[in-house]
Amino acid sequence: MQLEPRRPQTIDELYDRALALAGRSFAELARAAGLAIPDDLRHAKGWVGQLLETHLGATAGSKPLQDFPELGVELKTLPVTPEGEPLETTFVCSAPLTHTTGVDWLSSNVRNKLRCVLWLPIDGRRDIGVAERVVGTAFFWRPSTAQEQQLRADWEEHMDRIALGQVEAITARQGEWLQVRPKAADGNALTDAVGPDGRIIRVRPRGFYLKKRFTRQILQETFTNAC
DNA sequence: AGATGATCATAT
DNA sequence: ATATGATCATCT
């Protein structure tokens, strides 16, 4: 296979290219991309995501943009079990801990990131080597009205706590579908946040993550067909 | 076993 | 430190 470094020009082109990856092993994709295959993902957690980005022509780098800005599409890999169950939560974006006045759901990063997602289920089996794992069938998703309400309700609950200086009281157990968890390089990473008395405090950076039950719901509505 | 809290790599 | 890409590893 030839690697396609061009950016896809249309949604259809992106979709076709993503579907063409179904069934392919990470070994062949890595070889085509000229990438070395890690023994495991312990020290290469974002490796699969980057591998797929390369194959689909996404903009590499650290820019705070969607993967395909012209198409308004965000790419997300989703590790799944052989039964099609999500194996991990899905990181969405970092959580703003200061300057939160005025930010509402409609203008939130969470909503904007999730407006249109190209999900790429990937073989998440840890009992086989990375090279042997394969890509699943890609699909486009936009949140339904009901799903957007689920996310909005959780987002508002989290943002209320953050705005009220209760960041440190936030637990990953909170939120039915969307949770807030640490998102940092290590325990030394600190950022500003609003403290209980309204003053600025230093805390571990946090991020919004989709709980498994949310992505499970997406997978089910997508792959459940009437037989 | 599954989820929570912690962590890993890279670029800017 | 912040953004991107996430999974690890410990605890319950």
Side-chain angles (χ1 to χ4, degrees):
Chain A
M1 147 182 197
Q2 287 300 309
L3 186 57
E4 292 281 355
R6 289 175 298 114
R7 301 184 65 70
Q9 299 301 301
T10 65
I11 294 281
D12 284 345
E13 185 182 355
L14 173 59
Y15 186 51
D16 289 345
R17 205 182 281 187
L19 282 183
L21 298 176
R24 312 194 65 115
S25 71
F26 294 172
E28 44 181 331
L29 297 185
R31 183 176 167 188
L35 293 175
I37 303 171
D39 294 331
D40 56 54
L41 300 182
R42 184 152 40 120
H43 298 290
K45 297 181 180 179
W47 188 81
V48 180
Q50 309 241 280
L51 175 67
L52 277 307
E53 280 189 345
T54 299
H55 276 269
L56 295 175
T59 303
S62 58
K63 294 182 290 294
L65 291 170
Q66 287 164 307
D67 295 294
F68 301 96
E70 312 86 353
L71 304 178
V73 174
E74 175 72 14
L75 175 69
K76 289 260 171 242
T77 55
L78 180 60
V80 295
T81 64
E83 293 72 39
E85 285 282 305
L87 269 162
E88 296 288 348
T89 56
T90 302
F91 174 71
V92 179
C93 60
S94 59
L97 304 182
T98 57
H99 311 298
T100 54
T101 52
V103 300
D104 61 347
W105 169 250
L106 291 184
S107 61
S108 71
N109 282 188
V110 172
R111 178 169 181 271
N112 290 313
K113 280 278 182 183
L114 300 179
R115 285 188 71 77
C116 183
V117 178
L118 175 58
W119 291 99
L120 207 34
I122 55 164
D123 187 345
R125 287 178 293 172
R126 295 173 187 167
D127 55 344
I128 62 171
V130 174
E132 306 166 63
R133 300 179 199 175
V134 298
V135 180
T137 302
F139 64 95
F140 274 107
W141 169 81
R142 281 178 177 284
S144 64
T145 302
Q147 288 169 333
E148 181 159 345
Q149 289 314 305
Q150 293 173 333
L151 297 174
R152 183 183 62 78
D154 285 346
W155 180 88
E156 289 178 346
E157 178 185 330
H158 295 313
M159 290 308 294
D160 281 349
R161 281 204 172 85
I162 290 171
L164 290 170
Q166 305 299 313
V167 205
E168 295 179 305
I170 295 179
T171 280
R173 296 170 193 81
Q174 294 159 353
E176 221 181 318
W177 310 95
L178 183 73
Q179 65 185 178
V180 169
R181 304 217 307 277
K183 163 67 174 174
D186 55 55
N188 299 319
L190 294 174
T191 192
D192 286 351
V194 178
D197 58 3
R199 292 177 174 282
I200 295 299
I201 58 174
R202 302 286 285 171
V203 300
R204 176 78 44 86
R206 311 300 167 97
F208 286 110
Y209 295 79
L210 297 176
K211 288 189 168 183
K212 286 187 193 177
R213 60 180 308 190
F214 191 83
T215 45
R216 180 179 298 125
Q217 174 183 255
I218 294 175
L219 289 168
Q220 282 174 352
E221 73 184 18
T222 302
F223 295 107
T224 295
N225 47 28
C227 291

